[in-house]
Amino acid sequence: MFNYHADNSGALHTLRLLYSCMHLVFCLFQFGCIFGNLVVEKDDVNYLAANTITVLFFTHCITKFVYFALRSKLFYRTLGIWNQSNSHPLFVESNNRYHALSLKKMRTLLICVSATTVLSAAAWTGITFVEESVHNIKDPNNENETITEEIPRLLIKSWYPWDAMSGMAYYGSLVFQIYYVLFSLTHANLMDSLFCSWLIFACEQLQHLKEIMKPLMELSASLDTYVPKSADLFRAPSAKSQDNYIESDYNTKNEELNLKGIYNTRQELGGNFRSGALQTFGQGGVGPNGLTKKQELMVRSAIKYWVERHKHVVRLVTAIGDAYGVALLLHMLTSTVMLTLLAYQATKINGVNTYAATTIGYLVYSLAQVFHFCIFGNRLIEESSSVMEAAYSCHWYDGSEEAKTFVQIVCQQCQKAMQISGAKFFTISLDLFASVLGAVVTYFMVLVQLK
């Protein structure tokens, strides 16, 4: 991300560009060697399935590496919207609190993902040295039988243009593969974490907007010349209706009970009805509502702040979808095929061994990647859906006329929840994860029944 370096002079920029291109060349070279091994061992069905899973697993890394480079402008635009956060003097404390909470959750997510990635790379390296490193080939003397052949003890079965069985070539290949596994997993997971961090920020901003809704309505009530009672909003006082009823009840039933002071609508609402016109200011710049012109402008600007902050969140979510939607589609396409093959491989587990550990490891890791962004996509849907409920639940009936109009507009705009889609093909949510998991389990059970 060259644009975020303080010093972007010619020499430093060139070095950073060379550094990034070096990683790209290394990753593409190793990926090509993995694919080359797939072609070499294509005759054996078991090796073909296993090698295909490995190729698809590292396709995620190559896809996201190249995708970020090609669409970096969209990522810069999203980060620019993310940094355009404003505040309001009346809600500074709430805004700062939710901003700090979002940063805390982002750091926690980053730590968890980084620790999981390092542990996965360490486990991958360790399991390489557990069992013998051999594979089966056809017997050259008898085509109907197979014999075992020793292969280099490396993290990933790869075809290299050099002999990696022993010597410096072997140790160089081993170090190179350790680097490749760690770097590829880290890069792909950090890309997903960046996406999830954006969603965390959007969700916390929606929480902030929901929290300030109630005090916003209370502030807007001060724009009127009176503070209305909720029980009287839905009945209009007349000259005789309620007063006469109360007086009649007082005179005929019980002279000791005087209910007129409790239920007298005229006394609570005053002699004049509410006016939608702007307040006029008298001597000293104080209006009939007891607010100065500056205070009234402050209250009106609070409503504008809410609307503008909600627009900001909508723009951010839209930018996130534009920046990462295609990557999510490619991820799900690759994961679907890979999980299908893993279900096939899982039917061949016959004990506690390296094969079982690697198959289950691939399966859990792949499902965790899908769950990683589905859980935050689902939270975005839930938080945005609850904005309308929060607007309706606040005391909007005690607010000013413009506040009531504001709540009506909020309810109309928030009827459809915010969501992130995979290039318009599917919605990122827990329903997506449940459907993927259900399909894998169903396919596995069918294969088991068919033996």
Side-chain angles (χ1 to χ4, degrees):
M1 303 186 68
F2 306 114
N3 291 4
Y4 283 93
H5 286 285
D7 186 2
N8 254 337
S9 59
L12 287 175
H13 181 73
T14 303
L15 288 176
R16 296 188 187 109
L17 188 61
L18 290 175
Y19 173 80
S20 301
C21 291
M22 176 193 71
H23 285 295
L24 177 62
V25 170
F26 286 165
C27 289
L28 290 177
F29 172 76
Q30 177 59 38
F31 186 76
C33 293
I34 298 173
F35 190 82
N37 184 74
L38 169 68
V39 175
V40 171
E41 297 184 339
K42 66 181 185 299
D43 295 332
D44 189 292
V45 177
N46 293 328
Y47 290 150
L48 179 63
N51 292 332
T52 303
I53 291 172
T54 305
V55 169
L56 291 174
F57 183 84
F58 286 104
T59 299
H60 288 311
C61 312
I62 299 298
T63 299
K64 292 175 182 177
F65 198 108
V66 177
Y67 180 86
F68 183 81
L70 295 178
R71 298 174 69 89
S72 59
K73 290 183 178 180
L74 294 177
F75 284 86
Y76 285 132
R77 182 166 70 92
T78 306
L79 288 169
I81 296 174
W82 183 22
N83 290 331
Q84 291 173 0
S85 59
N86 57 347
S87 184
H88 190 275
L90 297 176
F91 307 121
V92 171
E93 187 274 334
S94 176
N95 179 55
N96 292 340
R97 177 158 42 86
Y98 279 101
H99 184 76
L101 184 61
S102 66
L103 291 179
K104 180 181 178 182
K105 291 182 178 180
M106 290 177 196
R107 293 190 186 101
T108 303
L109 176 66
L110 178 63
I111 293 172
C112 293
V113 170
S114 300
T116 303
T117 303
V118 173
L119 289 176
S120 300
W124 197 320
T125 305
I127 204 171
T128 304
F129 301 94
V130 173
E131 293 184 353
E132 294 182 355
S133 181
V134 295
H135 72 158
N136 297 325
I137 60 172
K138 289 184 178 180
D139 189 349
N141 299 323
N142 187 355
E143 295 183 356
N144 296 327
E145 296 182 0
T146 59
I147 59 174
T148 59
E149 181 184 35
E150 187 178 3
I151 58 175
R153 188 181 291 275
L154 298 173
L155 279 69
I156 311 168
K157 294 174 68 175
S158 307
W159 174 88
Y160 288 119
W162 59 81
D163 184 10
M165 279 299 298
S166 61
M168 292 300 298
Y170 166 74
Y171 289 108
S173 302
L174 179 62
V175 172
F176 177 68
Q177 286 200 0
I178 292 175
Y179 146 79
Y180 175 75
V181 169
L182 181 61
F183 179 83
S184 298
L185 297 183
T186 302
H187 188 278
N189 290 337
L190 288 180
M191 281 281 291
D192 291 340
S193 297
L194 176 62
F195 166 75
C196 294
S197 295
W198 286 336
L199 295 185
I200 289 174
F201 180 79
C203 291
E204 295 305 322
Q205 287 299 297
L206 291 174
Q207 287 271 31
H208 164 60
L209 292 177
K210 288 190 294 182
E211 184 185 74
I212 67 175
M213 181 71 73
K214 185 177 179 179
L216 186 62
M217 291 300 103
E218 295 174 353
L219 284 170
S220 68
S222 64
L223 293 176
D224 293 330
T225 58
Y226 50 82
V227 179
K229 302 293 184 180
S230 59
D232 300 309
L233 283 173
F234 304 102
R235 63 172 184 255
S238 63
K240 297 181 179 180
S241 59
Q242 293 155 335
D243 289 348
N244 289 342
Y245 287 143
I246 295 171
E247 288 175 0
S248 176
D249 184 71
Y250 172 78
N251 293 328
T252 59
K253 292 187 178 180
N254 192 348
E255 295 185 358
E256 294 181 359
L257 295 176
N258 186 0
L259 305 178
K260 190 173 181 179
I262 301 176
Y263 291 92
N264 192 342
T265 311
R266 183 187 301 270
Q267 177 181 336
E268 291 184 349
L269 294 184
N272 299 322
F273 287 97
R274 179 191 304 254
S275 173
L278 294 176
Q279 306 293 341
T280 57
F281 294 84
Q283 295 180 354
V286 179
N289 52 15
L291 299 178
T292 64
K293 188 172 184 180
K294 184 176 181 181
Q295 289 173 330
E296 185 165 328
L297 290 175
M298 177 70 72
V299 174
R300 295 184 189 280
S301 68
I303 297 178
K304 180 180 179 182
Y305 163 77
W306 198 102
V307 176
E308 292 300 326
R309 176 54 67 92
H310 187 264
K311 287 181 180 179
H312 176 259
V313 177
V314 172
R315 286 196 302 271
L316 176 63
V317 173
T318 303
I320 294 171
D322 294 340
Y324 214 72
V326 178
L328 293 172
L329 174 62
L330 296 175
H331 185 108
M332 290 307 302
L333 289 175
T334 306
S335 294
T336 302
V337 180
M338 184 174 66
L339 289 170
T340 304
L341 292 173
L342 283 170
Y344 166 74
Q345 292 290 88
T347 60
K348 299 180 180 180
I349 295 177
N350 55 8
V352 180
N353 49 33
T354 303
Y355 177 82
T358 53
T359 302
I360 295 175
Y362 268 120
L363 189 61
V364 172
Y365 192 92
S366 301
L367 288 173
Q369 281 185 314
V370 178
F371 182 79
H372 182 201
F373 49 76
C374 282
I375 186 65
F376 291 103
N378 193 80
R379 190 188 171 212
L380 175 66
I381 295 175
E382 292 178 348
E383 292 293 345
S384 59
S385 300
S386 62
V387 171
M388 183 174 66
E389 181 182 352
Y392 184 75
S393 300
C394 70
H395 296 168
W396 53 268
Y397 37 77
D398 288 341
S400 62
E401 291 296 332
E402 58 190 77
K404 294 178 182 178
T405 305
F406 157 71
V407 171
Q408 183 180 7
I409 295 174
V410 169
C411 291
Q412 291 175 347
Q413 292 296 320
C414 298
Q415 285 181 352
K416 184 179 180 182
M418 300 179 194
Q419 59 188 22
I420 302 295
S421 66
K424 309 299 182 184
F425 281 89
F426 52 82
T427 300
I428 303 300
S429 65
L430 287 179
D431 291 337
L432 174 65
F433 177 75
S435 63
V436 171
L437 182 60
V440 173
V441 173
T442 302
Y443 183 61
F444 174 76
M445 296 304 296
V446 170
L447 290 176
V448 170
Q449 291 177 359
L450 293 177
K451 298 183 180 179

